[in-house]
Amino acid sequence: MGDRVELSAECDSITEIYPRSCSFVRPAVANINQMIVVISTVYPKVDLHFIDTLLFGIETRGIDAAVCINKSDLDEDGSISEVFDIYTKAGYKTIITSAKEGRGKEELYALLKDRITAFAGNSGVGKSSLLNLIGDDLNLKTGTLSEKTEKGRHTTRHTELLPLPCGGYVLDTPGFGKLDLPPMTADEAEKYFPEFAPYRENCKFTGCSHTSERGCAVLEAAERGEIAQSRMESYIDFYNKLKEYKKWQLK
Ligand SMILES: Nc1nc2c(ncn2[C@@H]2O[C@H](COP(=O)(O)OP(=O)(O)OP(=O)(O)O)[C@@H](O)[C@H]2O)c(=O)[nH]1
Ligand SMILES: [Mg+2]
Ligand SMILES: [Zn+2]
């Protein structure tokens, strides 16, 4: 969803599909300039590793990423502020919303204005509900959660491109919970963790992998709490997984 095409004079067929400026397999979208990763800390509970995989994939496409923590009305144990700190510290614009109570509507609106944005995240986090909050007439179908698993029921089945009253477009996408890492060598992974940038020049060894070296400025920053522990763990996991990639998988 999101391809730019040329139509025949009668507008009944596609005569050309233009090259994509960026494209994703999950969610299946193209030519967007921003992706908002929607999280809920309860029902369904956030999986930080999955969120980091999503953000990593967005970074590799060179488009803007933002984080939206929804269902703030259900926050009982303060985990929203923990997650907020993790992604703010990582340099991502992070907002807190409640589609149920209308919290964060203005901030979300400001983020979407005049841009082409795709929403991404697990099923049941409230992507469609947030869009209904923004565009009063959208009337997107929203789902219930499975009582047994507290997970979403994959209510949105297809990606929908919606024009916004404030200017811009937004793509509502079906939720998903698993994602492969984009193919690259392990040494490239550090580029896609924006919060490493101020530190990586100061590592003792050139070619430092930031996974275990002595004198690694990135690991030291994590030690001091300037880089979130969960982000560091995701990075080390990605690095090790990418090391396992075979040459043919990098093509
Ligand atoms: N309490 C609360 N419930 C919410 C909020 N946002 C969404 N929900 C509920 O969460 C459930 C799932 O919402 P959806 O908007 O369908 O979630 P989705 O992310 O679009 O899910 P998929 O389409 O399956 O990917 C529904 O029962 C919503 O009413 C919120 O801010 N607070
Ligand atoms: Mg939906
Ligand atoms: Zn290092």
Side-chain angles (χ1 to χ4, degrees):
M1 168 63 76
D3 273 323
R4 293 174 207 278
V5 300
E6 194 169 286
L7 296 176
S8 64
E10 298 77 28
C11 288
D12 58 358
S13 61
I14 292 170
T15 52
E16 194 170 346
I17 301 177
Y18 293 111
R20 294 167 170 176
S21 63
C22 74
S23 68
F24 291 79
V25 179
R26 281 189 131 182
V29 294
N31 297 324
I32 55 170
N33 47 37
Q34 169 170 253
M35 196 173 275
I36 297 184
V37 175
V38 183
I39 295 178
S40 96
T41 56
V42 277
Y43 319 126
K45 193 169 161 36
V46 62
D47 170 356
L48 295 177
H49 186 270
F50 169 69
I51 300 302
D52 291 337
T53 315
L54 251 170
L55 290 168
F56 187 70
I58 301 170
E59 289 294 327
T60 64
R61 267 80 167 193
I63 62 163
D64 291 337
V67 174
C68 170
I69 311 171
N70 188 37
K71 304 201 185 184
S72 63
D73 55 292
L74 298 179
D75 188 35
E76 280 164 8
D77 58 358
S79 45
I80 284 194
S81 79
E82 243 172 74
V83 176
F84 180 85
D85 281 350
I86 292 172
Y87 292 105
T88 311
K89 222 187 273 178
Y92 292 105
K93 170 77 187 167
T94 303
I95 62 170
I96 297 174
T97 58
S98 164
K100 191 173 172 196
E101 295 180 343
R103 179 176 177 193
K105 184 175 173 179
E106 300 304 319
E107 263 186 296
L108 184 58
Y109 214 75
L111 259 180
L112 296 172
K113 194 174 172 346
D114 296 329
R115 319 204 63 197
I116 306 173
T117 305
F119 271 26
N122 293 117
S123 176
V125 292
K127 299 179 293 299
S128 302
S129 305
L130 281 170
L131 292 178
N132 281 336
L133 178 74
I134 290 286
D136 296 330
D137 318 318
L138 294 177
N139 280 323
L140 294 172
K141 196 170 170 216
T142 60
T144 52
L145 302 178
S146 152
E147 273 179 28
K148 221 163 86 195
T149 64
E150 292 172 350
K151 287 190 172 150
R153 294 179 189 269
H154 296 279
T155 308
T156 305
R157 297 277 172 184
H158 308 283
T159 298
E160 288 194 53
L161 179 73
L162 310 154
L164 288 166
C166 55
Y169 291 87
V170 64
L171 290 96
D172 187 21
T173 70
F176 57 95
K178 279 211 168 76
L179 199 59
D180 289 330
L181 291 172
M184 68 179 75
T185 62
D187 299 335
E188 287 175 275
E190 59 152 10
K191 285 192 287 189
Y192 305 113
F193 276 73
E195 68 267 51
F196 290 6
Y199 305 104
R200 61 177 168 232
E201 295 295 305
N202 300 328
C203 294
K204 193 166 171 198
F205 304 107
T206 39
C208 180
S209 73
H210 323 304
T211 56
S212 57
E213 292 88 344
R214 273 171 174 244
C216 168
V218 174
L219 285 168
E220 285 169 4
E223 215 37 58
R224 292 194 300 274
E226 289 164 29
I227 294 174
Q229 209 59 47
S230 62
R231 293 279 294 165
M232 210 58 227
E233 281 164 20
S234 292
Y235 167 75
I236 294 173
D237 178 69
F238 296 171
Y239 182 90
N240 290 330
K241 282 206 177 101
L242 291 168
K243 270 269 176 228
E244 302 281 302
Y245 271 37
K246 306 275 177 290
K247 266 209 175 113
W248 60 266
Q249 287 176 296
L250 299 179
K251 296 239 167 82

